[in-house]
Every structure is written in structure tokens, then in C-alpha cells.
Amino acid sequence: MELVGVNFVLTAAGFLLWTSGGFAAPMECHFNSRALCVFEGRHYSLGETWMDNACMQCTCLYPVGVGCCETVHRPVDFPAWCEVRVEPVTCKVFLVQTADPRLPCSPGEDIRDPSHGSLQQQLE
């Protein structure tokens, strides 16, 4: 019986990877074996999915728990003076300036943050 449980968990993990885009981009996923298949008062059945408030797509894996994966692709290569912001309702990703998040960050611009020197300056 224990082998059946292990096979089910492995199948569920594969399903989570498949539904989150697989290997298209690094996506964070987690599994909670104690979680209930309930979100905002609604009960979900095995295989049903929902989107939580943090832009995570969750799948009911009753009776073994709930698995959730990110749905947004976050940029990984941008200047140190920028940061990633995710809009909770629409799950849209924005790159903004750390000093003033109201302003967009365009990595190609010649804006320099004085707290970060160029690589050449750091090597000298």
C-alpha cells in the first residue's frame, strides 16, 4: 500500500510540473500534505484547480494534500537598481525602479544607481 502512495505522489508532482509549464522556465512549486482542498470557502475535488491570491495555481490532490505552482515568469537578469513587482489580481509582472516603484525600469537605459558601481569599478 505504501508503494501505491509513493506512486500517487510522484504522479501528482509530474502533473504539477506539466500544468505549470514544465521546463519552459524555472517555476517554484510546493506541496502541502496537510492542506485541505478549500480556498475562499469553496471545496475542491481531486484534480480541480484554483488560483490563490499570490498568483499560485493550486491543484487538489485529495486525499494526499494540495500542490501549488507559480503562474508568473519573473525576470532574472536585470540591473541591481530594479526590482520585480507582481500585481496580485492580474498576476502581471512589472520591472520597476527600487528607489521609486512608481517608475518603470528599462534595463537598456543609462540610469545608474550610485550604490552600485560597474563591474570594472568593482575589480579595480
Side-chain angles (χ1 to χ4, degrees), residues 19-96:
T19 59
S20 68
F23 299 102
M27 302 292 270
E28 186 175 312
C29 295
H30 66 270
F31 176 76
N32 185 343
S33 62
R34 295 184 180 170
L36 301 175
C37 295
V38 178
F39 180 69
E40 294 185 345
R42 180 169 178 226
H43 293 264
Y44 293 85
S45 302
L46 176 63
E48 286 188 298
T49 63
W50 65 93
M51 185 79 68
D52 73 5
N53 297 329
C55 299
M56 299 284 282
Q57 181 177 358
C58 298
T59 302
C60 177
L61 302 171
Y62 178 81
V64 295
V66 172
C68 297
C69 290
E70 285 185 321
T71 59
V72 296
H73 295 275
R74 297 171 186 266
V76 293
D77 186 20
F78 52 88
W81 48 270
C82 300
E83 65 183 29
V84 177
R85 292 281 172 105
V86 178
E87 204 173 79
V89 176
T90 63
C91 298
K92 289 184 178 181
V93 178
F94 298 96
L95 198 56
V96 297

Side-chain angles (χ1 to χ4, degrees), residues 93-104:
V93 178
F94 298 96
L95 198 56
V96 297
Q97 294 181 24
T98 304
D100 188 352
R102 297 172 299 167
L103 299 175

